[in-house]
Amino acid sequence: MIKSPASSITKAASKQTYYTIQFLVDRERVDDAYRAYAYFRWVDDLLDADSGSGPVLSKGEASVRRAFLERQKSLVESCYRGESPRDASIQEKMLF
């Protein structure tokens, strides 16, 4: 069995999630579940990166995070319309 990048990301981030998906998710949805986990893990890690020790973000950090989230929201909306943006990153491609 060849592991997908999404399943490898999932296993590296959370063995419990990896095995839960592997054994409890319907066979035809396993790859989708790994992609979903890997995508949201990437989003979470990116938003948590360099967040500092305090709960208050500087204006620059907040605006960068806001722009990132707006882009992700736009990509989700594109998916609902059946579109695949050409400028998506490798991580964002897991969304579609």
Side-chain angles (χ1 to χ4, degrees), residues 2-22:
I2 298 173
K3 284 189 179 183
S4 69
S7 69
S8 297
I9 291 167
T10 302
K11 190 173 186 180
S14 172
K15 287 188 181 27
Q16 179 178 346
T17 301
Y18 174 83
Y19 288 112
T20 298
I21 291 169
Q22 186 68 34

Side-chain angles (χ1 to χ4, degrees), residues 4-88:
S4 69
S7 69
S8 297
I9 291 167
T10 302
K11 190 173 186 180
S14 172
K15 287 188 181 27
Q16 179 178 346
T17 301
Y18 174 83
Y19 288 112
T20 298
I21 291 169
Q22 186 68 34
F23 296 118
L24 298 179
V25 172
D26 293 338
R27 288 294 106 212
E28 66 274 5
R29 296 187 177 195
V30 167
D31 290 337
D32 291 335
Y34 285 137
R35 279 192 298 275
Y37 180 87
Y39 170 76
F40 287 110
R41 172 85 269 139
W42 169 73
V43 169
D44 184 63
D45 288 347
L46 196 123
L47 292 174
D48 288 345
D50 301 324
S51 62
S53 58
V56 179
L57 300 174
S58 72
K59 286 184 181 182
E61 289 174 325
S63 65
V64 168
R65 284 184 174 83
R66 193 172 316 107
F68 173 76
L69 288 173
E70 286 299 318
R71 173 166 170 77
Q72 300 314 301
K73 180 181 173 184
S74 171
L75 291 172
V76 168
E77 290 168 354
S78 293
C79 289
Y80 279 121
R81 291 190 303 269
E83 303 167 1
S84 295
R86 287 179 277 137
D87 62 341

